[in-house]
Amino acid sequence: MLRPLLASKRMLAALAILLCLTLYSTARGQATAATPPPTAQDAINQISNTNFVANTLWTLIGGMLVFWMNAGFACLETGLCRRKNAVNILAKNFIVFAISSIAFWCVGFALMFGDGNSVVGHTGFFTNLLPYDAPKMPGASSLDWSNVSPAVKFFFELVFAGTAATIVSGAVAERIKFGMFMIFSFILVALVYPITGHWIWGGGWLSTLKAPFHDFAGSTVVHSVGGWAALAGVLLLGPRIGKYNSDGSVNPIPGHNMGLAALGCLILWLGWFGFNPGSTMTATVAAGHIAVTTNTAAAFGAVAATITAWAVLGKPDLSMILNGCLAGLVAITAPCAVVTIAGSAIIGAIAGALVVFSVLFWDKIKVDDPVGALSVHLVCGIFGTLCVGLFASPAVIPMQVTDAYCKPGLFYGGGGTQLISQLMGIGAVAATVFAISLVAWAVLKFTGGIRVSAAEEHEGLDIGEHGMEAYPGFATETGASEQV
Amino acid sequence: MLRPLLASKRMLAALAILLCLTLYSTARGQATAATPPPTAQDAINQISNTNFVANTLWTLIGGMLVFWMNAGFACLETGLCRRKNAVNILAKNFIVFAISSIAFWCVGFALMFGDGNSVVGHTGFFTNLLPYDAPKMPGASSLDWSNVSPAVKFFFELVFAGTAATIVSGAVAERIKFGMFMIFSFILVALVYPITGHWIWGGGWLSTLKAPFHDFAGSTVVHSVGGWAALAGVLLLGPRIGKYNSDGSVNPIPGHNMGLAALGCLILWLGWFGFNPGSTMTATVAAGHIAVTTNTAAAFGAVAATITAWAVLGKPDLSMILNGCLAGLVAITAPCAVVTIAGSAIIGAIAGALVVFSVLFWDKIKVDDPVGALSVHLVCGIFGTLCVGLFASPAVIPMQVTDAYCKPGLFYGGGGTQLISQLMGIGAVAATVFAISLVAWAVLKFTGGIRVSAAEEHEGLDIGEHGMEAYPGFATETGASEQV
Amino acid sequence: MLRPLLASKRMLAALAILLCLTLYSTARGQATAATPPPTAQDAINQISNTNFVANTLWTLIGGMLVFWMNAGFACLETGLCRRKNAVNILAKNFIVFAISSIAFWCVGFALMFGDGNSVVGHTGFFTNLLPYDAPKMPGASSLDWSNVSPAVKFFFELVFAGTAATIVSGAVAERIKFGMFMIFSFILVALVYPITGHWIWGGGWLSTLKAPFHDFAGSTVVHSVGGWAALAGVLLLGPRIGKYNSDGSVNPIPGHNMGLAALGCLILWLGWFGFNPGSTMTATVAAGHIAVTTNTAAAFGAVAATITAWAVLGKPDLSMILNGCLAGLVAITAPCAVVTIAGSAIIGAIAGALVVFSVLFWDKIKVDDPVGALSVHLVCGIFGTLCVGLFASPAVIPMQVTDAYCKPGLFYGGGGTQLISQLMGIGAVAATVFAISLVAWAVLKFTGGIRVSAAEEHEGLDIGEHGMEAYPGFATETGASEQV
Amino acid sequence: MQMIEAVIKPHKLDAVKTALAKLGILGVTAVECKGFGRQMGHTERYRGAKMDVGFVPKVLLKICVKSEDSAKAVSAIVEAARTGEVGDGKIFIYQIARAVRIRTGEENESAL
Amino acid sequence: MQMIEAVIKPHKLDAVKTALAKLGILGVTAVECKGFGRQMGHTERYRGAKMDVGFVPKVLLKICVKSEDSAKAVSAIVEAARTGEVGDGKIFIYQIARAVRIRTGEENESAL
Amino acid sequence: MQMIEAVIKPHKLDAVKTALAKLGILGVTAVECKGFGRQMGHTERYRGAKMDVGFVPKVLLKICVKSEDSAKAVSAIVEAARTGEVGDGKIFIYQIARAVRIRTGEENESAL
Ligand SMILES: Nc1ncnc2c1ncn2[C@@H]1O[C@H](COP(=O)(O)OP(=O)(O)O)[C@@H](O)[C@H]1O
Ligand SMILES: Nc1ncnc2c1ncn2[C@@H]1O[C@H](COP(=O)(O)OP(=O)(O)O)[C@@H](O)[C@H]1O
Ligand SMILES: Nc1ncnc2c1ncn2[C@@H]1O[C@H](COP(=O)(O)OP(=O)(O)O)[C@@H](O)[C@H]1O
């Protein structure tokens, strides 16, 4: 028994060596003997890093496109207002993003995504956005689901905050004081937007409902919030002089540059490909489906508004076509990731028709909104948020990356569960944003005053607020007047 | 004999265990004992997925850039037309993409890329674009070569279809009825564009020639098709009132806003970086080469047109510089992936000179094309398609991803094989698109009429078709007239 | 002893077979027996390739965004000049990129990045940009640090060269001859820009200092170079007629279209997300941090300029707001990758205030710069380059990809080492570019003349140089005058 | 007949048009213009340089009326266009020797 | 001398200019304007609100001629500018007391 | 009172305004216009087609002055607006029957 045992012992030793050698050489592949061979785990680690980079850059590109929407709003709103107020609107739309950037960095981001309670976050003021090379951001665990560098998470959320602030600009245009608008924008982005945002995207109470409130890219978080803040402002400002006659009839005040307006709308359409598909905050093929639902809703919105305007108003008004397209885009923003292509077509078409009637409605009740911001962002923002509860399709829902899966909608056999959550969210956001905004506007109104003088409004805010004309034309074409 | 055998049996068992353990622990790396270790195959699978995502997002970004060309066409065409028609052109260019989106989803995509015969496809009407998470799309096997999510394949092809339709808009501008243009656009994108497109990109007969017709990004598929459809429309519409004098001389009708036109051209140049490099429909470094050939052709086109216009017409006309740039871009679209940088320089330079003479030519034969669409898209589209057969370089051809490799061109020792295929394709597309378009336009002409009344043309289509002015100016600046 | 030995021999054989089989089947996974199993090395290779593609496409997208800045400059500069010169400025800004593309391909790239000595490169004229599928480009080893396809390296560097040339366009606007500007642009991009560029980015002497001169994305390489070349031109051209009164007072010459100007600035802001984050020339999460520093500096620049203009000049002049934003962007260009978010906020704010005073300064010394190019690009370019030596933070520096790590700045405990290098670079570039440009402009001045006639300047360069108006308006709206 | 030329503030255009319409005067030709006068109001600054923006946007109305309607038309314009602030504008009246309606060739008062 | 002021449809500008040139009248100053008159044509809507777009784009021509040329110039304009539809425009003629050519200082008829 | 209408080159606007201000004439209304005259200068081409760009950008000034100021105002304008090249423009003077300042209702010379 010994010898065989001995023999087997020697054999065991020999085999162990053989085994090691074989394994070694197999694994090494073409590597040199000096460095250890890469293991499958090394490869996996490298892929993880590649994916981390891809997620980050995709989200960054999405953020750039959303930034680009600022140009869209600037062009659209300027084009739909009067020539004598063009510089003012351009300046407002330009500065509002700068202010949003500052406000969100200083305060807003911390309130919205910082760790805190279910009502508000409170870590990450003046964030330094480190570490840049790992996805988890200390103190902002609500964004841990996204495997993206903290700086880009911040950037992406920042451009969204900027969008909400820009929406206000259009509705209060042609009569608001420049400085007061700057202050309100700071308040909105620093305080108002982040709080309701926290509830929905920052881990707050709306995101922890049994059927969590679902707003993929922000029909409510961004567009309705902007809309409610705008409505509060518009109510306290009152309509532009001359908009409504004493007999209740409406004096149209045509936009001064439809080329700028149409370009602006096309810019926004492009930007929305960052807004919605980019909101995956992950490099994922799901972005493709979202891009198509987004585009489909915009297309159906534009055509539906064209037909509605043609039928109801007699001619296909270009400003209505543009609003129809934007209506489709705003409406699809919440449900873009959970509806089918056909669903997005229906949503877009309804929104496109809805926006035409909404424009008429606000004028009927004498709420003066020069660019249709309330109709597009508020009304269609609400409609889009509801659509989640109506059209969410079980065939599409699984493609989402986030944990907060959505329940199927009423029309897709899901019953009313999701719809009820959506209604709760809409109501809570409406009450909160409208109330705080109203207070903020009121404080500004009774301290410094928010509206320019009637004389300035007549003369135009360009001269009054900025001391310049947008298109000074021949009179200044040759070098200005010599001092007399 | 038994014992050693027994011993060896025991040893075998021991060894087997040892072996398993060794293998296991080696492979596991730092993984915990609970989950199985990743294998190299796991890594490969993950990379495949990463590549799938990268392909999809790259193609999606390309598609966004092509979408952005709509803004370019809108600005360019509006800028090159008269002020009194600006709203109409903007509306046309805006709605045409919405209509294309609808038409392509409902019908066009199925005819073009759906499985079918060598003449037309017939699966995929109202496609739901599922599955989103695998590259193969049932019923659209002609796109299987591209490892991209179906939704993005659809989106990318959709924006191309939209481009073809937009080309028509410029050529028929300033006299066509808005509604009729909408209908023709639907027909074009639903029926005409997809059929010839199927022959070339959808697996049809031109793609199965011995030397398959090569049109990388669509000099023929998109630009010439748009050009032929436009030519048919222009012929049936006739020239704008006042363009040609009875003595045969030409009255120039200058564009009303060169700033808009130049911006439009720069937008198009940018968009072309999606059009050509994006047509790889694969994340590949080959996109880089294509970007450079594209840019080089545009640059040489612009400079060649500048010099030609300066020499032939006396001054460097900005509208000609812009057309020259676009000429270079259209011409390089087909051969961008198979020519050297030097080749693209020559192609661009020839196209830039060609376009100047082409503009003069169409005016000579009294074919009135307000924006030069025929010269840019039709003439240079044909020229570019031929260039494949002339300039395709064996040093560059291999970088292509698609299977349909191209033969070297006549100037690169490849003989005339490819050139003959190119000529066949050009001829077949010309005959088909021109004929169908002519019929379509004719039917529209003899049913509803395609041209606005002379009075409306004089007054401008903005008032006539849309009831508004693009730049209403001072008269409406103060709120419109009270009802008298 | 024999038998056991024999037995063990047999066992060895059996075990060897077993071993092989086990190893084989383990490694194979689901692969078929015919092909060898993928190894971890295979996976690593595939990832390397994926990363190569990702780097290339990210850099390509960055390059596209930088290309897009041409549209920004065109809009901004046109908007800030007079209507009667609009076509000329548009044509200049359009053709300058075409010329840059040609000049850089023919000569500039070789001088800048070609292998050579520490003063200039001399390989790669008329480069064919092959191989496209490997990152190393023969003869351009200075770019070997970037793991990107040669074509895209070329493209990315090309669009930067174009930017430098565009800067000149604005400063010399409204009085320079079109043809002479084309020639100077060729000289600048073919000879001047590449030489100092070689010193800094092409492996030349400034990059091999002990503390290498650090200019991440080109505050000096691009912006100051453009600024110095412009200054030389402005000095030889003299101010526009009517800008300065004999008593030393300034006649403002307002821009003709503030909408175009504001849109241009937003385009530039977007383009800068390619300019700075894209300069990583590597797909890396560091791009995210750079995007945020870039955006923060722009935001603080805009707000600082608004406040400064309001305080110093009485009203928030929109053209100053726009310049303030651009000032922040130019200033952050050099240090964007080495400063903290807070650092970028301070840099942006200082630049925004600085630019207002700088505009006043140039007017005080009667250097007439219609669009503020000297203040934005030259002054803030220098300031930004210095900021590297002041604000570079050891917490951020490591995120860089390039080898040329930067020393911490004076305010971050790094002492003056880096600052001294920065000063050396600024001085060397200033002397060289200004001197060569002055000679080039002087030669052009004394051969063909660089300035249009006073009569042409009065009438506007649009008629004089291009024979057309930007906005011909009503007089040509109906088709031009019949030949009398 | 007399030609009434009124330089008014742009935002008064509607009011003036309405006031004239009430008098049955429906023919008005309006021209955009810039006015230089006492209302030198805003000394502006563009990029820091003082700008004596003498020229204020105005609208120039031309209304040809029968001589006997001139006075009441002027009163109506004055009333409708007045804000009481500097820069309200001026009205100039001059004699028209002949008027023709292009469409019909009708002359003078029947052409208005 | 007389000043002929003609308000015409913009697309008739070329025709009128050509007709005048045939009479040897080469001096014309043209101003863009908006006309309010019988041609109240398009009641428009902007964003749903009715808009009584009284103001139609027109061109105002000013032609100063020797008094003896006035009649035939007016006839030429009427002929060239007429379409027969409402809105063709008006011509107003008034006396010019003095004319000066800035370049030479020439006065009156020799200044035209 | 007389109305002085001066058609001048746009870049002479400042000079003319300054010259008038030196005479104490502060009221001017300026209208953008296009002029057709001897200065047929640039035959242009747009996209290859010859374009007889008769119409050159000009500015039309309207200055209402007391009759006794008319002569010196004209001299001042001529001097300030002259370049000596074709196209310097024309001045037309005609009688104004009545002037009204809208703000105050003041009439005639005190309205200027
Ligand atoms: N003498 C004048 N000739 C022509 N237009 C004048 C004259 N004086 C004033 N105007 C026009 O009337 C406008 C208002 O005049 P202004 O002196 O500013 O105010 P007010 O009429 O209230 O005194 C000016 O902007 C100018 O267009
Ligand atoms: N009384 C008037 N004074 C000044 N301009 C007038 C007058 N009546 C008409 N016009 C101008 O003539 C144009 C044409 O007049 P309108 O009454 O519409 O048509 P018609 O001349 O065919 O009767 C108007 O748009 C307006 O510019
Ligand atoms: N008879 C005229 N009636 C009205 N305006 C005229 C007349 N003649 C010339 N003008 C205006 O004067 C401008 C200059 O006239 P033009 O004949 O070109 O030069 P010049 O005054 O030097 O002879 C023209 O552009 C036109 O606007």
Side-chain angles (χ1 to χ4, degrees), chain C residues 395-455:
Chain C
V396 181
I397 290 173
M399 85 170 63
Q400 278 196 76
V401 198
T402 66
D403 288 340
Y405 278 14
C406 166
K407 306 267 166 303
L410 190 63
F411 301 160
Y412 284 75
T417 334
Q418 187 67 41
L419 192 61
I420 288 163
S421 291
Q422 299 302 105
L423 283 166
M424 278 180 63
I426 291 167
V429 168
T432 311
V433 174
F434 186 72
I436 309 186
S437 298
L438 205 63
V439 170
W441 282 120
V443 168
L444 293 177
K445 180 167 180 170
F446 295 114
T447 52
I450 52 178
R451 185 158 180 157
V452 301
S453 71

Side-chain angles (χ1 to χ4, degrees), chain A residues 8 11 15 19 23 40-41 47 51 82-83 245 252 255-259 267 269 283 285 288 292 295 306 315-316 399, chain B residues 11 15 19 22-23 30 38 43 50 67 90 95 97 101 132 151-152 158 463-466 470-472 477 480 482:
Chain A
S8 71
M11 272 171 64
L15 263 167
L19 184 70
L23 276 168
Q41 187 60 43
I47 301 161
N51 289 345
R82 284 168 292 179
R83 196 173 46 171
N245 298 325
H256 85 286
N257 190 328
M258 297 313 293
I267 291 175
W269 194 335
V285 292
V292 177
N295 188 67
T306 306
K315 295 233 169 154
M399 85 171 63
Chain B
M11 273 169 65
L15 265 167
L19 183 71
T22 316
L23 278 167
Q30 50 277 66
T50 298
F67 164 81
L90 292 165
I95 206 69
F97 182 70
S101 292
Y132 68 93
V152 170
L158 158 64
I463 298 290
E465 298 289 284
H466 304 278
Y471 317 97
E477 197 140 282
E482 294 253 346

